[in-house]
Amino acid sequence: MLFEAFLSSTAMESVFSPTAVVQSMMDVEAALARAAARVGLIPAPAAQAIASLCRAELYDVPALVAAAPRSGNLALPVVQRLRETVALFDPSAAVYVHRGASAQDLVDTAMVLRTREALRLIDDDLQQLCARLLELAERHAAVPLLGRTMMQPAQVISLRFKLMNWLMPLLRSAERLREQGQASLLLQLGAPSARWTRWATAPRTCWRPWPPSCRCRCPTCAGTRSATAGCAWAWRWACCAATSASWRRTSR
């Protein structure tokens, strides 16, 4: 806790808080269940029962975190507790909790969701900083400033020139951060090895309609749909692709 006060922020700390991480895991489980139901891998009522209980406030988050070291990761206690809770309300649906995914899939995809939110906060801060520098540069365009070279006084420059030299690298870095974020925030769906044979022999089916604002291509029908980037569409895409013999794994 030595550096958090000045190297982070309250908003960023909340992004990776235990409750936020557990909620992202629950979001993944809910999306996985809905996706599996849409392509006929699990019954729709079971998916609805699972998704309705994927809310972190229903669970003792500190107890889940405390159980993580014994399990080796946070996914196992989360899945176990979710399965037990689903069984209380719909015993027949409990067997479909976490169906087709591994613990690594759950942890990695949940952290991708958290990282996406963290990148959004960083991007917001960068935009505010750039806007402030631009405002100062316009306001002080004619203010003279002594330039330096080799730590020695040189010709006179403007404060605007100095501020713009701070601004331009920040703009480039912000753009690269957005590009790398888009390229790196990938779904992890390795699945338990036993699932691959079962999925490879499943009937071909295509999930339609694609969710709304990201361009993606269905490996089964080769059609392109308009969709919203996020956990739900990614899992639906994965389940759709899993029914195709030409399944391509997205993993590290």
Side-chain angles (χ1 to χ4, degrees), residues 26 49 53-54 58-59 78-91 94 97:
M26 293 292 180
L53 295 170
C54 287
L58 300 178
Y59 303 89
V78 167
V79 171
Q80 180 181 356
R81 193 71 189 93
L82 175 60
R83 186 175 286 123
E84 292 170 353
T85 304
V86 172
L88 293 175
F89 295 90
D90 188 346
V97 172

Side-chain angles (χ1 to χ4, degrees), residues 41-126:
L41 296 178
I42 71 172
Q48 184 176 359
I50 294 168
S52 68
L53 295 170
C54 287
R55 305 200 309 274
E57 66 267 21
L58 300 178
Y59 303 89
D60 185 347
V61 173
L64 294 174
V65 173
R70 295 192 299 272
S71 303
N73 59 65
L74 183 57
L76 296 182
V78 167
V79 171
Q80 180 181 356
R81 193 71 189 93
L82 175 60
R83 186 175 286 123
E84 292 170 353
T85 304
V86 172
L88 293 175
F89 295 90
D90 188 346
S92 64
V95 297
Y96 297 111
V97 172
H98 198 60
R99 173 68 67 91
S102 69
Q104 181 181 345
D105 296 335
L106 180 55
V107 172
D108 287 358
T109 305
M111 292 311 296
V112 164
L113 295 179
R114 293 293 83 214
T115 302
R116 183 178 63 181
E117 182 63 19
L119 288 175
R120 186 189 65 77
L121 292 179
I122 294 172
D123 187 67
D124 288 347
D125 286 346
L126 280 171

Side-chain angles (χ1 to χ4, degrees), residues 155-196:
Q155 69 184 51
V156 174
I157 61 174
S158 68
L159 180 54
R160 178 180 183 178
F161 179 81
K162 186 73 171 178
L163 291 169
M164 293 302 289
N165 272 275
W166 292 345
L167 173 62
M168 297 310 294
L170 287 173
L171 290 174
R172 292 193 296 271
S173 296
E175 182 62 27
R176 283 196 293 268
L177 184 62
R178 293 186 201 104
E179 292 173 355
Q180 291 302 314
Q182 289 293 326
S184 303
L185 297 179
L186 300 176
L187 162 76
Q188 163 67 31
L189 186 61
S193 57
R195 293 287 177 196
W196 286 105

Side-chain angles (χ1 to χ4, degrees), residues 207 209-217 224-230 233-234:
W207 183 82
W210 290 86
S213 96
C214 170
R215 302 298 292 176
C216 48
R217 181 169 293 277
T224 303
R225 298 289 181 270
S226 202
T228 340
W233 82 260

